[in-house]
Amino acid sequence: MARFTFRLERVLELREREERSRQVALAAFERRRVELETQIRACAGRAREERALQAEMLSPGGADVGAARSQAAAAVHEIARAQRLSIELAGVLRKRDDARAALARAMADRRAIELLRERAMDEWRAAESRREDRELDDVSMAMTRRTMGQEG
């Protein structure tokens, strides 16, 4: 039996590699997003802790203004770091969205070639079926001629 060969198989392979590449890029942005969000939460937590320590130091029983000033500076430092990370996160989110759109385009491109392949395969199967039917008809006709020749 004949074998189906798709003339655009190399193009399909190229589209599949491109799609995998886009998936890897999107995954990298997702990993970075998770890292940044974790760091931002950690900074916010440390800033809360610094403010709590500062409030403790300024309480009526233990007013240590120097240490409270140091705690305030540490809290401000953590808040500033969280803001810088938030700006970086915004950039990563924008790049992630671009990567997601590129992946969607790559998936559509691959699917278009797959549809062409499916259509070509269906056409090939139909042609093979017609060919087999013709061969069976030829065999049947030959047998009929032989049978008719033997009777006459």
Side-chain angles (χ1 to χ4, degrees), residues 18-70:
E18 180 67 20
E19 183 179 351
R20 279 191 299 277
S21 169
R22 299 293 181 179
Q23 289 171 340
V24 168
L26 178 59
F29 288 121
E30 281 295 326
R31 272 192 307 277
R32 184 63 183 145
R33 177 192 61 83
V34 169
E35 290 171 4
L36 288 170
E37 288 175 349
T38 301
Q39 290 176 7
I40 290 168
R41 278 193 294 278
C43 286
R46 286 190 300 268
R48 278 192 302 277
E49 290 171 7
E50 296 295 339
R51 282 192 300 261
L53 288 172
Q54 179 186 15
E56 240 178 72
M57 291 175 186
L58 293 176
S59 66
D64 185 353
V65 177
R69 186 177 302 131
S70 174

Side-chain angles (χ1 to χ4, degrees), residues 67-138:
R69 186 177 302 131
S70 174
Q71 294 306 126
V76 167
H77 173 74
E78 289 299 329
I79 291 168
R81 183 164 186 262
Q83 288 172 340
R84 284 191 305 275
L85 291 171
S86 294
I87 291 169
E88 184 180 348
L89 176 61
V92 167
L93 291 175
R94 189 177 60 253
K95 289 176 185 175
R96 183 204 55 187
D97 291 344
D98 292 345
R100 186 175 286 142
L103 174 59
R105 284 189 304 273
M107 290 171 66
D109 290 347
R110 175 200 39 86
R111 185 66 185 137
I113 298 297
E114 284 180 344
L115 289 173
L116 287 174
R117 181 172 155 209
E118 289 170 13
R119 193 173 304 141
M121 185 176 283
D122 290 344
E123 290 171 6
W124 176 81
R125 283 185 183 133
E128 280 295 300
S129 180
R130 286 190 302 272
R131 184 187 60 76
E132 288 173 4
D133 288 348
R134 277 192 311 271
E135 287 177 6
L136 288 174
D137 285 348
D138 290 346

